[in-house]
Amino acid sequence: MVDVDQQHELSDDPVSAFTTAEELTATQTFPSRRAALEAERSRPAKRERVVVRPTRDRRDAKAAARAERANRPPRRTRTPRPARPARTEGRRWGVHAVVMLALAAFFGTAALPAYATTGEGSTVGAARTALAVQTLTGGGVTQVVARDGLDIQESPQALDSTTNTTVSPTVQALAVQLMGAVAAGRLVGSTPNHIPEIADLAEGRAVPGCGIDYRVLQAISVALDNFNQVGVSDINRRCTGQIEGAGTESAHYADGGGHALDFYLLNGSPLTGGDAKSVQLIKILDPIVPDGTGLGQIGCRSSMDLTNFKPFDDTCNHLHIDFLKSDGPALRYG
């Protein structure tokens, strides 16, 4: 072994020095220089083993590196990330939202009159057929309400939301239908707006002083059967605090209020009580309203042959109809 930093020349191995054939040949004498060269060329080459040892500084550096690795603190184990929460709950709420939207669209569409696409429909239409028999559940008792004629399996007192503290299922069902027309822009109000009175009934709320005679709701429904757009400017004046015309004796105000209504618009045309659309609606309603139903604007139109309406004087800027002194609890359809 040879330390390259301390020894630069190779020495003979003391064991084999001068004992091998090569060594003996090296000490042999030759008669001539040429013979010596021939003997040198024929001698096999000498093989030497050289081992290079690293310097002391490199050994010390390696030892220091090993010591440093041994003293190095162990690597910190990485904490596994918590698993992401499952999205099952979010998907469930998403499905519920879609179902609720679908149900809202279905009932909103069902609330719209089936005849909304016709401008001047007949009194007996698809919507009337669909609403001729309504099955309503109230208080655990199923009630069948026939829209044709006066065959309503509820007492007249139950239908009168102007004095009751509860809303009849029959009244609520019709109010829901009318609010569908409001949502479609077919039923509009004025100022002050009386549409919220219908909305309360549709939600089953009996608000004191804001009730509506069931026959008033029916008259609005008939108007919607026959006109594409209907405007109502007055129903229950107690609800809006109005004191006009006949004052507290008006059917709009007396006996709880809400026993009369004023139409001010039909198919975008303002009414006078004597214009063509007012006359058309009067002729549609006269056969089906109870006897003794009040009708305003007698001085605003030509004389008419009427069966059930009782005309009286009123201003010529609307069409007034009231049921305060009518003989029957409902309109007759058919």
Side-chain angles (χ1 to χ4, degrees):
M1 303 294 288
V2 179
D3 190 334
V4 295
D5 288 341
Q6 298 177 1
Q7 185 174 347
H8 300 282
E9 296 181 359
L10 299 177
S11 60
D12 292 333
D13 188 342
V15 177
S16 60
F18 304 104
T19 61
T20 64
E22 290 82 359
E23 293 292 337
L24 293 175
T25 303
T27 56
Q28 183 179 0
T29 57
F30 297 95
S32 66
R33 181 179 178 86
R34 182 173 182 177
L37 289 176
E38 289 293 336
E40 180 69 20
R41 290 193 188 97
S42 61
R43 187 175 56 188
K46 184 179 180 180
R47 299 178 63 184
E48 296 180 354
R49 183 167 64 97
V50 179
V51 178
V52 181
R53 293 182 178 178
T55 62
R56 186 177 304 278
D57 292 340
R58 291 180 61 185
R59 291 197 299 271
D60 294 342
K62 288 183 179 180
R66 286 195 296 270
E68 182 182 356
R69 285 196 296 270
N71 297 330
R72 186 177 301 170
R75 291 186 178 182
R76 184 174 54 185
T77 58
R78 181 176 297 178
T79 305
R81 292 184 179 179
R84 292 186 178 180
R87 299 184 180 179
T88 305
E89 190 68 21
R91 292 195 182 98
R92 185 181 299 117
W93 280 109
V95 172
H96 288 175
V98 171
V99 172
M100 291 301 294
L101 288 174
L103 289 175
F106 170 76
F107 286 111
T109 304
L112 296 178
Y115 45 84
T117 56
T118 61
E120 306 287 337
S122 63
T123 304
V124 183
R128 186 172 312 292
T129 301
L131 293 171
V133 178
Q134 304 177 44
T135 301
L136 304 170
T137 302
V141 179
T142 300
Q143 301 169 338
V144 177
V145 181
R147 289 279 305 269
D148 288 332
L150 301 178
D151 184 16
I152 298 177
Q153 296 179 15
E154 286 186 276
S155 67
Q157 291 77 17
L159 295 174
D160 189 3
S161 65
T162 61
T163 56
N164 288 336
T165 57
T166 59
V167 179
S168 158
T170 304
V171 172
Q172 184 176 4
L174 185 52
V176 167
Q177 178 207 3
L178 298 182
M179 289 307 298
V182 172
R186 298 188 59 235
L187 178 60
V188 297
S190 183
T191 303
N193 190 8
H194 290 265
I195 298 297
E197 298 162 22
I198 303 175
D200 286 335
L201 297 177
E203 295 175 4
R205 292 198 302 265
V207 180
C210 293
I212 302 176
D213 193 305
Y214 178 63
R215 296 163 293 185
V216 168
L217 298 176
Q218 285 185 306
I220 297 173
S221 178
V222 171
L224 286 167
D225 283 350
N226 293 273
F227 297 91
N228 203 36
Q229 186 183 55
V230 175
V232 175
S233 58
D234 210 343
I235 301 179
N236 193 330
R237 288 180 180 171
R238 285 180 180 266
C239 197
T240 54
Q242 296 169 254
I243 303 293
E244 301 177 15
T248 58
E249 299 299 320
S250 168
H252 290 292
Y253 197 95
D255 198 13
H259 298 286
L261 76 153
D262 291 344
F263 292 106
Y264 80 99
L265 192 73
L266 290 174
N267 284 358
S269 301
L271 306 182
T272 65
D275 61 279
K277 288 184 172 56
S278 293
V279 171
Q280 180 183 354
L281 182 56
I282 291 171
K283 290 181 178 179
I284 292 170
L285 289 172
D286 182 55
I288 62 176
V289 297
D291 187 32
T293 299
L295 176 66
Q297 289 75 40
I298 189 173
C300 304
R301 59 180 173 270
S302 301
S303 178
M304 297 180 64
D305 185 13
L306 300 172
T307 302
N308 295 308
F309 275 131
K310 302 303 179 198
F312 59 87
D313 285 327
D314 202 352
T315 56
C316 300
N317 58 359
H318 64 285
L319 177 61
H320 175 96
I321 299 172
D322 75 67
F323 301 93
L324 188 60
K325 299 180 180 179
S326 297
D327 291 339
L331 275 62
R332 294 182 295 271
Y333 286 89

